[in-house]
Amino acid sequence: MNNLASMQPSNIREMIRRNELVKPTAGMANGFAQANLAILKKEDAFDFLLFAQRNPKSCPILDVTEPGSPIPQMAAPTGDIRTDIPKYRIYRHGTLAEEVTDITSYWEEDMVGFLIGCSFTFEHALLQNGIPIRHIEEERNVPMYVTNISCTPAGKFHGMTVASMRPIPQEDVVRAVQVTSRFPAVHGAPIHIGNPEALGITDIARPDFGDAVTVRANEVPVFWACGVTPQAVAMATKPALMITHAPGHMFITDLRDEELGVL
Amino acid sequence: MNNLASMQPSNIREMIRRNELVKPTAGMANGFAQANLAILKKEDAFDFLLFAQRNPKSCPILDVTEPGSPIPQMAAPTGDIRTDIPKYRIYRHGTLAEEVTDITSYWEEDMVGFLIGCSFTFEHALLQNGIPIRHIEEERNVPMYVTNISCTPAGKFHGMTVASMRPIPQEDVVRAVQVTSRFPAVHGAPIHIGNPEALGITDIARPDFGDAVTVRANEVPVFWACGVTPQAVAMATKPALMITHAPGHMFITDLRDEELGVL
C-alpha cells in the first residue's frame, strides 16, 4: 500500500478507471481529500444542494458537477465521476438494485453529481495530533447512529441527522474539538460530547450503521455529523434512480486535506 | 533519507547522540517540530525568558530546561540538549569560538536551555497547502533581514527584529497568512506583506543572513519574524559563554507539528 499512499490522486483515479483497483480507498493518496458521491437527476439537484447548504455539518459539499457533466471542475478537473470510483451502488426507488465498477452506461444527460466531504480528512488530522481512532485500531467501520436531531428540510428532502461516534480519551476531548473545528468542509467540530441519550441513542453498543467499537472507562463518546445523512435523506425520498459510491470506496480529489482547513 | 523521515524523534536523537548523524536535520522525523537552541547562564535566564515572552513572534519558546538540567521535560523528556544536536556553536563574549558535536564538557550547573520554535513547522504547513517555498526549491538558506522593528526589551536584552522572507505567489498570500496564523508557537502569521522598504530593507537581493532567492514578477515578498532574532539579541549582549545549535542542525522534539496548531 506504500506506493498507493504516496501516489498522486490523478494517477490513482486512472488505475481505478481501468478497474485495476477495485477496493476501499482508505490510505490511498495520503494528504488528499476523499469524497462521498451522490448522483441525482437535475429535477432534484437544487433542493438537494439547498438541503446541503442548510445542513453543512452533515452535508459538507466539496463540489457539484454541471448538469450532464461528469467532471468535478473544482475538486478534480481531470476526473470523471462515472469511472473513477472503485465501486458504485445503484438505487432504484430507494432500494439497492446493484453494485457496479463503472456507471457510464447509467449516465443520463440531466444527472448532477455531488461530492460530499468525508471523515477521512479529519481523522487524519486527529491522528496527526496523537489522538487515537478506535474503529481504525479495531479495523472496523465507524459506528453510526440515527439521532433525534432534525435536519433543516429543503424541498422534498428532510430527515434526521446521522452521527458517527469516536471514543476519545478524556484528556484529548478539547483538542479533538479544536482539531476538527478547522475542517468545516469535512463535518467540522463534533455535534455532541458525552451523553448518547441526549441524542436519543439508547444503546451505544448497537449502532444503526457500521460496527460497534470498544469504549473504555476513561473515554468519552464524541459524535460528529456523518456523511451518511444526505444519502439516507435522499434515499428516503425514493427517487427513481440514485447512484452513490459503495461504502469505503470513495472519490479521491485533487484537494489537499490541509487546504480544507479554514485557518 | 526516507528512513530518517519516518523515524521517531527519540530514535534519531539517539543516533545523533552517538555521533552517527552529523548533518542538518531538515527532513528528519517528518511531522515533528524541530527547535532552535540557546543556552545561557541562569543569571541571564529570567531576562531572556521575559524577552521571549514579550516578543512571541520572533521568540516562540517551546520549552525551557530547569537550571542545571539538560532535559527538556515538555518537548522531549528522553532528550538531552548537551548531546542530541548534531552540531553546536560555542560563543565567548559574543564571538564564535568553536563548533563541536557534544557540549557535555562545557555544561555548567547553572545553565538553562531554551528551545525556540523553528520555521520548519510552518513551512511544512505551507507546502501541505500547495504553496511553494522558494529557498527550498533553490536549495538555499532562507534570506533574513534586520528590520527597523524594535523588539520590546527585557533586562539587558534588546534589539531589532530579524525577519525571514519568502516570495509568495499573489494568489496564495491570503492563504499563507491563514496557514501560518495557526502556528503562533513557530512564528505564526507574517509580520509584513509586500513592501520591504516599510521594514527598512533597501535591497531585497542583499540579505543580512542566509542567501538571496529569486522573487518572480507575480510574487509578493512576505516577511515572518525569525528565530535568529533571540540569538542575535542575546549575542549582542556579549555573554561570557553562550551555546547555540549550528544553523540547520536543530533539536528534534517529540512535539508534533500539528499539536502546535492553536486550532
Side-chain angles (χ1 to χ4, degrees):
Chain A
M1 286 293 285
N2 246 335
N3 194 20
L4 293 173
S6 59
M7 276 175 67
Q8 289 296 303
S10 58
N11 295 333
I12 294 188
R13 288 196 302 265
E14 277 166 33
M15 288 180 70
I16 291 171
R17 197 175 303 170
R18 294 192 298 261
N19 285 329
E20 292 167 15
L21 273 181
V22 185
K23 55 181 175 182
T25 51
M28 297 181 189
N30 232 326
F32 290 89
Q34 302 196 12
N36 301 286
L37 173 71
I39 298 174
L40 288 166
K41 302 277 263 181
K42 183 171 182 302
E43 63 201 36
D44 291 327
F46 173 76
D47 283 348
F48 189 70
L49 184 56
L50 190 61
F51 182 84
Q53 200 272 332
R54 289 177 178 168
N55 300 279
K57 294 206 93 167
S58 52
C59 314
I61 298 285
L62 294 180
D63 201 356
V64 181
T65 61
E66 292 291 303
S69 165
I71 316 295
Q73 283 294 345
M74 308 273 290
T78 64
D80 187 324
I81 58 170
R82 300 170 302 181
T83 54
D84 296 359
I85 278 182
K87 204 188 284 179
Y88 297 85
R89 286 188 164 181
I90 314 291
Y91 290 89
R92 294 188 188 280
H93 303 289
T95 303
L96 176 60
E98 51 204 309
E99 282 196 343
V100 296
T101 60
D102 187 312
I103 58 161
T104 306
S105 64
Y106 297 81
W107 188 256
E108 297 175 23
E109 283 314 304
D110 61 350
M111 280 180 164
V112 179
F114 295 83
L115 291 176
I116 299 164
C118 137
S119 57
F120 288 177
T121 295
F122 80 69
E123 289 182 346
H124 183 68
L126 289 170
L127 290 171
Q128 291 276 80
N129 278 274
I131 299 174
I133 310 270
R134 181 61 32 76
H135 68 271
I136 295 177
E137 292 173 353
E138 297 187 341
E139 298 187 343
R140 296 181 189 174
N141 198 352
V142 66
M144 292 165 274
Y145 307 84
V146 178
T147 71
N148 58 11
I149 302 173
S150 288
C151 295
T152 305
K156 66 168 72 164
F157 299 107
H158 58 90
M160 294 302 186
T161 301
V162 179
S164 60
M165 188 280 289
R166 292 164 188 79
I168 304 291
Q170 198 104 44
E171 66 272 19
D172 291 331
V173 171
V174 168
R175 186 64 186 157
V177 171
Q178 294 175 321
V179 168
T180 57
S181 294
R182 290 188 54 231
F183 294 101
V186 284
H187 306 304
I191 58 168
H192 184 83
I193 296 172
N195 182 14
E197 274 101 33
L199 297 178
I201 299 167
T202 50
D203 188 352
I204 200 92
R206 292 179 51 200
D208 296 299
F209 311 101
D211 306 313
V213 298
T214 310
V215 183
R216 300 194 187 127
N218 70 328
E219 292 175 339
V220 179
V222 179
F223 296 86
W224 279 267
C226 177
V228 163
T229 308
Q231 282 191 9
V233 159
M235 232 122 40
T237 67
K238 303 189 193 303
L241 177 63
M242 176 175 171
I243 303 173
T244 74
H245 67 289
H249 299 68
M250 317 300 281
F251 183 88
I252 302 175
T253 75
D254 293 342
L255 305 170
R256 291 167 192 269
D257 284 331
E258 278 298 318
E259 286 178 301
L260 296 177
V262 281
L263 192 67
Chain B
M1 288 291 283
N2 245 336
N3 194 21
L4 293 173
S6 59
M7 276 175 68
Q8 289 296 303
S10 57
N11 295 332
I12 294 187
R13 288 196 303 265
E14 278 166 31
M15 289 180 69
I16 291 171
R17 199 175 302 169
R18 294 193 298 262
N19 285 329
E20 290 167 16
L21 273 181
V22 186
K23 54 181 176 183
T25 52
M28 298 181 189
N30 232 324
F32 290 89
Q34 302 196 12
N36 302 286
L37 173 71
I39 296 174
L40 288 166
K41 303 277 264 182
K42 183 171 182 302
E43 63 201 40
D44 291 328
F46 174 77
D47 282 351
F48 190 70
L49 184 56
L50 190 61
F51 181 85
Q53 199 274 332
R54 288 177 179 167
N55 299 280
K57 294 207 92 165
S58 53
C59 313
I61 298 286
L62 294 181
D63 202 356
V64 181
T65 60
E66 292 292 302
S69 166
I71 315 296
Q73 282 295 342
M74 307 273 292
T78 64
D80 186 324
I81 58 171
R82 300 170 301 181
T83 53
D84 295 359
I85 278 182
K87 204 187 283 178
Y88 297 85
R89 286 187 164 182
I90 315 290
Y91 290 90
R92 295 189 188 279
H93 304 289
T95 303
L96 176 60
E98 51 205 309
E99 280 196 346
V100 297
T101 61
D102 187 311
I103 58 160
T104 306
S105 63
Y106 297 82
W107 187 255
E108 298 175 24
E109 283 314 304
D110 61 347
M111 280 183 163
V112 179
F114 295 84
L115 291 177
I116 299 163
C118 136
S119 57
F120 288 176
T121 295
F122 81 68
E123 289 181 347
H124 182 69
L126 289 170
L127 290 170
Q128 290 276 79
N129 278 274
I131 300 174
I133 311 269
R134 183 60 33 73
H135 68 271
I136 294 177
E137 290 173 354
E138 296 185 342
E139 297 185 346
R140 296 181 189 174
N141 198 351
V142 66
M144 293 165 273
Y145 308 84
V146 178
T147 71
N148 58 11
I149 302 173
S150 287
C151 295
T152 305
K156 66 168 71 163
F157 299 107
H158 58 90
M160 295 303 187
T161 300
V162 179
S164 60
M165 189 279 289
R166 293 164 188 78
I168 304 291
Q170 198 103 43
E171 67 274 19
D172 290 332
V173 171
V174 168
R175 186 65 186 157
V177 172
Q178 294 175 321
V179 168
T180 57
S181 295
R182 288 188 56 232
F183 295 101
V186 284
H187 306 303
I191 58 169
H192 185 83
I193 296 172
N195 181 15
E197 275 101 30
L199 296 179
I201 300 166
T202 50
D203 188 350
I204 198 91
R206 292 179 52 199
D208 296 297
F209 311 100
D211 307 313
V213 298
T214 310
V215 182
R216 302 199 185 123
N218 70 328
E219 292 175 338
V220 179
V222 179
F223 296 86
W224 279 266
C226 176
V228 163
T229 309
Q231 281 191 9
V233 159
M235 231 121 41
T237 67
K238 303 189 193 305
L241 177 63
M242 177 174 171
I243 304 173
T244 74
H245 67 289
H249 298 68
M250 317 300 280
F251 183 87
I252 302 175
T253 76
D254 293 341
L255 305 170
R256 290 168 192 269
D257 284 332
E258 278 298 318
E259 285 178 303
L260 297 176
V262 281
L263 192 69

